[in-house]
Amino acid sequence: MSLLSGAASYTGSMALVEGVRAWFPQNFQIVSSLVTGTAAYVGYGLFSFIGTLSYKKYGFQAPYLVLAIYILLVTILAIGTLPQTNKPISTFRRLQKSCSFETTSTDSGMNLQDKLSPIALLPSLGQFLITMAGGFSIISAVPFLSECCGVSVATASTLISAKSLATAIGFIIAGLISQRRLLSPNTQSSLGSLLVLLGILLLFPPPSLTPLYSHSLYTGYLAISLIGIGDPLVITVTIRNMEEVQEALCYRLLTPQNRSTITSCWLLAWVAGETAGKFLAGFFLDFMEFYQGAWTIGSAGVVGCAIFGILRMVTVVKERKRGRMVESGLLVGNILHA
């Protein structure tokens, strides 16, 4: 059942993102962040409450029945109201084979300039490492506070609600920043990574840091808020980041097939990162202290932050080089014209 629900969620999210790209091309960043981020976390909190009430009143099977009815109604509504996005990718492939390109062809029949560059997948790797740190934090926070700091499980569990609220708000902030292009994709991702790393260190302080350790519950709210805001800053802009790396750094075409692959890699990195973080949380707790596990996960987050930093530096260097070439071309043109 968990496998089927996970497959349905992945497929639905993939279709939703591609639909938003087609329906709102000018506002893709903000709309996708609201739909895939804010709405998802609000729905998670809402249906957790509905599921709890239905379980208490009607028993174990009631939440599944409520969910099945809801999914059926939403499916019928989606089929009846949402417009078709575009032609299938298979249509593009047939058109591509029938056209002649001047670029070098490969054995697969696809042009080298049309293929998705492996370098374009680096932002999704960085996202995977950062979301893994976020997944670790939400699983480890409650046992850390209850076992090490003497906080009741009920009180410590409020961090989960705080994380959902902070993440929902974080997606709105991240969507606005990305939509208005206030920061470059790698700068925004680096900022989000630093917030997540700072949150990890604050959430699991070592006993030697007595001021932080003795007030772990209060610093925990601050830390979980930083993680909740930092995660969306990375997640929201990763698709745009991969697309810009494909075009600006690798000088390759951004075809519909590449866009679909990028969206799939983005979604896979998001889900896999959170799942890996939760798995490692249970694994680390059997062999090391909480803060040691946090530092281990944090080191992976540092690698993710380094990926964004390196990509940003390479982008800046190439933009300056391109600018000098344009200036040189204009200068030569003016001389020849004179």
Side-chain angles (χ1 to χ4, degrees):
M1 184 175 294
S2 298
L3 180 63
L4 292 176
S5 62
S9 177
Y10 181 90
T11 305
S13 299
M14 178 72 181
L16 187 61
V17 172
E18 291 299 321
V20 169
R21 188 196 299 276
W23 302 325
F24 307 96
Q26 303 300 323
N27 301 294
F28 171 70
Q29 296 294 329
I30 181 64
V31 175
S32 63
S33 65
L34 290 174
V35 171
T36 61
T38 302
Y41 278 90
V42 170
Y44 175 79
L46 178 62
F47 274 89
S48 297
F49 177 72
I50 295 175
T52 301
L53 291 181
S54 59
Y55 169 75
K56 288 182 178 180
K57 192 169 185 178
Y58 300 106
F60 178 75
Q61 295 180 346
Y64 294 98
L65 180 61
V66 171
L67 182 61
I69 295 174
Y70 171 77
I71 292 176
L72 179 62
L73 293 176
V74 170
T75 302
I76 295 174
L77 181 64
I79 293 175
T81 60
L82 297 182
Q84 183 62 266
T85 55
N86 50 18
K87 293 182 179 180
I89 294 176
S90 57
T91 304
F92 172 79
R93 290 175 178 172
R94 289 195 296 270
L95 290 173
Q96 185 185 47
K97 289 182 179 180
S98 64
C99 297
S100 60
F101 292 88
E102 296 180 356
T103 53
T104 305
S105 298
T106 60
D107 295 337
S108 63
M110 193 173 190
N111 297 303
L112 178 62
Q113 302 299 334
D114 299 334
K115 279 192 172 183
L116 183 65
S117 171
I119 300 177
L121 302 180
L122 285 177
S124 65
L125 174 60
Q127 175 190 310
F128 168 81
L129 296 173
I130 296 301
T131 53
M132 182 173 66
F136 173 88
S137 66
I138 198 62
I139 292 297
S140 304
V142 175
F144 168 70
L145 292 175
S146 60
E147 295 178 14
C148 300
C149 305
V151 179
S152 65
V153 175
T155 302
S157 298
T158 57
L159 285 179
I160 299 177
S161 300
K163 171 68 161 52
S164 298
L165 177 61
T167 304
I169 296 174
F171 271 105
I172 298 176
I173 298 173
L176 290 173
I177 294 175
S178 183
Q179 179 65 38
R180 297 181 179 180
R181 297 181 181 270
L182 301 178
L183 299 173
S184 69
N186 286 305
T187 302
Q188 180 175 331
S189 298
S190 298
L191 176 60
S193 302
L194 292 176
L195 291 178
V196 171
L197 294 175
L198 179 60
I200 288 286
L201 297 178
L202 284 177
L203 189 57
F204 304 101
S208 57
L209 297 177
T210 307
L212 292 179
Y213 192 83
S214 59
H215 298 87
S216 295
L217 178 62
Y218 303 107
T219 57
Y221 285 113
L222 174 60
I224 212 72
S225 299
L226 293 176
I227 296 172
I229 294 175
D231 259 343
L233 285 174
V234 178
I235 294 170
T236 300
V237 80
T238 298
I239 291 180
R240 176 184 154 204
N241 199 351
M242 287 193 285
E243 291 177 350
E244 291 192 3
V245 170
Q246 170 76 359
E247 291 184 312
L249 292 187
C250 302
Y251 302 108
R252 296 196 180 188
L253 298 177
L254 191 59
T255 64
Q257 180 183 358
N258 291 338
R259 286 183 182 273
S260 181
T261 303
I262 284 174
T263 303
S264 182
C265 292
W266 164 78
L267 188 58
L268 181 61
W270 186 359
V271 176
E274 289 191 347
T275 304
K278 294 173 182 178
F279 171 79
L280 291 177
F283 179 78
F284 286 163
L285 294 183
D286 292 333
F287 299 98
M288 60 183 68
E289 299 293 335
F290 284 97
Y291 70 91
Q292 293 174 337
W295 288 355
T296 304
I297 288 291
S299 63
V302 170
V303 175
C305 186
I307 290 175
F308 299 127
I310 292 173
L311 287 175
R312 176 57 183 163
M313 288 189 293
V314 173
T315 302
V316 170
V317 170
K318 287 205 170 187
E319 287 178 350
R320 291 180 178 177
K321 183 178 180 180
R322 191 181 299 117
R324 288 195 296 268
M325 292 176 62
V326 171
E327 292 177 357
S328 300
L330 292 175
L331 180 60
V332 172
N334 291 333
I335 294 175
L336 294 176
H337 180 72

